[in-house]
Amino acid sequence: YHHIRVAEVLGCWLCPRCSHSCCHYAHPTAPDTTTSPTPLTVAHCKHSLRGTSGAGLTLEYCERGRKLEWRPRAVALVHAAGDVVVAWYQAIWALLHGLPQRPKRVLVIINPEGGKRCAHNVYAKKVAPLFRRAALHATVVQTQYRGHGRELVENGTGMDLVDGVVAVGGDGLVNELVMGLLMVSIRRAGVDPHDPQVTLPTTHLRLGIIPGGSTDAMCHGTHGTSDVITAALHIIMGDSRCVDVAAIYRNGQFQNVATTMVSYGYFGDLLKTSEQWRKLGPTRYLVSGFLQFMRNRSYEGQLKVLTPANPLAQPYDMNGCCHECSVCDKAAMAAPAAGQWLKFTGRWSVVTSAVMSCACRLSPYGVSPSAHLGDGCTDLILVSGGSRCRILSYLFRTAYTGNAVSLDHVNIHRVQEVHFTPKPTGAKSQWNCDGEQLTEPALKL
């Protein structure tokens, strides 16, 4: 026997041969008041007519593999009596509609320019068929310019009629949508976002992520993989997690949010150069990275950081964040209290504040492998400037071994606030915020 939990069932349709091209289109995907199946319609299925085993239906469910990638699987249930098949069909959909966590209507926002510019094809070929078979109604919109995603969710009408928003793109699109959803929640809560002492409210809608960018660190960090099918199955089944978002202030004004990381120096220069070579796709990051390595630039500045009084975990712990993370659960019940302020002055080639691990295909361990998704803290990583060997050793260990923190010229601190002030004279870099440029070097988050 094979046991399938109701929460892992995607849907069912009237066909005894697991054929997507037969009764998936001939019969309704889910029962409604206008077109309910009858024993007669079930008996007229072309697959039922060919065989003598009777009528039946196909049950599609999620199979959780040994790794973190999930796959849809189907099984045919056959019975000689059509009325019994109809009863199965209606009972299964009634159970699925009774699951409160499962979304029924979503707004899908696609960035056609992200990554290799194939986000629309990824959604149409891999995600949309799953949504249809799961009776998940999707309204699809494509972004037309930078910042369009934020406008769609912040000023769009009918947002109260959907159960969530789905981003099909990279980390930049996710950043836009989080910012838009957060601004809606701020207006509803009636708080002043420019007051740094105010705790910003959580977003009023859930955000699902379908990877379609160059790195997809946000999707990889929350799902543990950048697999498109796995991400779609998470959305269909209504899986959710609370994830930290860092508020960014410049000149005393709330400007943006960071969902993965903000980085000054090497990664900021890399982004600035790579924007000139967008036609190369993800390869542009490798070319730009090599160029910044050869330039070997470092920048002087001052950091003022607030550490937690009783941190729930340390940035050098071996155990990272997982699905049922005790550290994130404790932080959700009571955020860690503020501790003491620390000051650092120096010259660094990399200054990174990692809200999450930032793991991706190019760096499976991430920038900060022990970072947590919802602990209320960010990991501040400082890489001292100097010879090219320093930056090379840091990049190599970050990408391949995940133990860059053990290097003598790399320091990491788990903090709650970061204030960065560049040296008034001398060269200045820019910030890389979720793959988008922040040109003002002075920053507070």
Side-chain angles (χ1 to χ4, degrees):
Y1 291 94
H2 192 87
H3 298 275
I4 303 172
R5 297 193 308 122
V6 175
E8 296 179 347
V9 175
L10 305 182
C12 64
W13 63 92
L14 297 168
C15 177
R17 295 290 181 89
C18 301
S19 173
H20 291 175
S21 60
C22 175
C23 298
H24 171 48
Y25 300 100
H27 298 292
T29 335
D32 53 51
T33 56
T34 57
T35 55
S36 291
T38 64
L40 182 62
T41 58
V42 173
H44 278 79
C45 168
K46 65 180 182 180
H47 285 134
S48 296
L49 293 174
R50 290 178 182 176
T52 59
S53 57
L57 59 80
T58 297
L59 180 72
E60 190 171 26
Y61 62 97
C62 172
E63 183 180 73
R64 302 172 186 257
R66 293 182 179 179
K67 296 183 179 180
L68 295 173
E69 294 185 357
W70 298 353
R71 286 294 177 266
R73 296 289 183 257
V75 59
L77 307 177
V78 181
H79 197 278
D83 54 348
V84 174
V85 175
V86 171
W88 286 348
Y89 177 83
Q90 294 174 340
I92 292 172
W93 279 112
L95 289 171
L96 297 181
H97 287 315
L99 298 175
Q101 78 277 10
R102 184 165 296 202
K104 298 177 178 60
R105 300 177 66 90
V106 294
L107 172 64
V108 178
I109 300 179
I110 301 175
N111 178 13
E113 299 296 326
K116 298 181 180 180
R117 299 183 178 182
C118 58
H120 186 273
N121 290 334
V122 167
Y123 175 78
K125 295 180 180 179
K126 296 184 177 182
V127 181
L130 280 173
F131 281 4
R132 284 196 299 267
R133 297 199 298 272
L136 177 56
H137 183 271
T139 302
V140 181
V141 181
Q142 291 194 36
T143 59
Q144 300 176 4
Y145 47 86
R146 181 169 294 179
H148 191 200
R150 173 180 173 178
E151 295 177 6
L152 288 172
V153 296
E154 185 177 354
N155 306 318
T157 58
M159 293 299 296
D160 293 333
L161 302 178
V162 299
D163 301 314
V165 180
V166 176
V168 186
D171 298 324
L173 177 62
V174 174
N175 182 287
E176 288 185 19
L177 299 184
V178 169
M179 186 64 180
L181 293 172
L182 186 60
M183 292 306 298
V184 174
S185 298
I186 288 173
R187 287 201 303 264
R188 293 184 176 185
V191 299
D192 181 11
H194 304 298
D195 184 358
Q197 303 302 322
V198 171
T199 301
L200 300 181
T202 59
T203 57
H204 65 293
L205 287 176
R206 290 180 292 175
L207 175 64
I209 306 171
I210 301 293
S214 301
T215 55
D216 301 312
M218 188 64 181
C219 181
H220 199 288
T222 52
H223 297 161
T225 176
S226 299
D227 180 64
V228 173
I229 300 299
T230 303
L233 294 177
H234 275 292
I235 294 171
I236 291 172
M237 293 188 294
D239 291 342
S240 62
R241 286 199 67 175
C242 293
V243 179
D244 285 336
V245 174
I248 297 177
Y249 296 86
R250 287 179 290 173
N251 300 323
Q253 299 291 309
F254 174 57
Q255 297 289 334
N256 209 328
V257 296
T259 58
T260 57
M261 76 173 189
V262 286
S263 187
Y264 186 82
Y266 175 85
F267 293 106
D269 295 341
L270 182 153
L271 178 65
K272 181 179 180 180
T273 306
S274 66
E275 287 297 308
Q276 305 171 10
W277 303 326
R278 291 194 68 90
K279 293 183 180 180
L280 297 179
T283 308
R284 69 184 186 273
Y285 294 114
L286 298 177
V287 177
S288 178
F290 178 76
L291 179 61
Q292 302 312 318
F293 166 73
M294 296 302 299
R295 288 176 176 174
N296 189 32
R297 292 176 175 173
S298 57
Y299 304 91
E300 291 187 77
Q302 183 183 77
L303 280 161
K304 181 181 177 183
V305 301
L306 176 64
T307 61
N310 298 303
L312 300 174
Q314 297 295 339
Y316 44 79
D317 290 341
M318 296 300 295
N319 297 326
C321 196
C322 58
H323 175 60
E324 296 180 351
C325 180
S326 60
V327 173
C328 296
D329 291 342
K330 291 178 181 178
M333 293 185 291
Q340 61 178 342
W341 287 94
L342 302 177
K343 288 186 179 180
F344 305 98
T345 302
R347 175 181 289 274
W348 301 287
S349 57
V350 176
V351 177
T352 297
S353 178
V355 185
M356 58 190 303
S357 66
C358 303
C360 62
R361 291 184 295 269
L362 299 177
S363 177
Y365 297 97
V367 174
S368 182
S370 298
H372 288 267
L373 291 173
D375 64 344
C377 297
T378 178
D379 286 354
L380 178 65
I381 303 170
L382 305 176
V383 182
S384 300
S387 65
R388 291 188 179 91
C389 292
R390 289 188 172 186
I391 186 66
L392 180 61
S393 61
Y394 168 74
L395 294 175
F396 178 83
R397 292 203 180 190
T398 299
Y400 296 105
T401 64
N403 62 344
V405 67
S406 62
L407 295 171
D408 294 336
H409 58 279
V410 177
N411 294 314
I412 185 168
H413 308 271
R414 184 148 294 173
V415 301
Q416 294 175 313
E417 289 188 32
V418 178
H419 300 220
F420 178 79
T421 304
K423 186 178 180 180
T425 59
K428 295 179 179 63
S429 181
Q430 65 174 12
W431 290 91
N432 179 341
C433 176
D434 295 342
E436 302 296 331
Q437 301 179 58
L438 301 180
T439 56
E440 176 61 42
L443 176 144
K444 173 186 175 183
L445 61 88

